[in-house]
């Protein structure tokens, strides 16, 4: 056994490293969260509450992020 280990230790180490790399890559792929896609409906400008909510949300986000923003959808909560 000791003779085999001495002759093939490099090959055994490479196989071990490849096995660890394979396991690491498989686990990394599993941890990616799935994207939740929702159907976005255009903003109804006749609904005053949603229009004001979209404007306030856009202004607040613009002030916090300091970059251009776009409101995608507005939902009533509560």
């Amino acid at each position: 056994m000791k003779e085999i280990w001495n002759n093939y230790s490099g090959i055994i180490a490479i196989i071990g490293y490849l096995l660890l790399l394979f396991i690491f890559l498989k686990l990394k792929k599993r941890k990616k969260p799935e994207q939740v896609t929702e159907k976005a409906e255009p903003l109804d400008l006749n609904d005053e509450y949603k229009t004001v909510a979209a404007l306030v949300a856009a202004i607040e986000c613009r002030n916090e992020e300091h970059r251009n923003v776009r409101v995608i959808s507005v939902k009533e909560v509560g």
Side-chain angles (χ1 to χ4, degrees):
M1 182 72 176
K2 190 174 185 181
E3 192 175 297
I4 294 173
W5 180 256
N6 287 336
N7 291 337
Y8 299 106
S9 62
I11 295 173
I12 293 171
I14 290 173
I15 291 172
Y17 290 137
L18 289 176
L19 182 63
L20 288 173
L21 180 65
F22 178 74
I23 292 171
F24 176 75
L25 291 176
K26 283 292 185 182
L27 291 176
K28 188 175 180 182
K29 285 184 180 179
R30 286 186 189 164
K31 291 184 179 180
K32 289 184 179 178
E34 296 180 15
Q35 290 183 342
V36 177
T37 57
E38 295 182 12
K39 184 178 178 182
E41 297 178 9
L43 181 63
D44 182 17
L45 296 177
N46 293 328
D47 188 354
E48 293 176 11
Y49 294 112
K50 286 184 180 179
T51 304
V52 171
L55 289 172
V56 170
I59 292 169
E60 289 288 325
C61 188
R62 170 75 169 126
N63 289 337
E64 288 180 14
E65 298 293 325
H66 301 291
R67 59 188 172 112
N68 292 338
V69 295
R70 182 174 73 165
V71 178
I72 296 174
S73 65
V74 179
K75 291 182 183 179
E76 184 176 348
V77 178

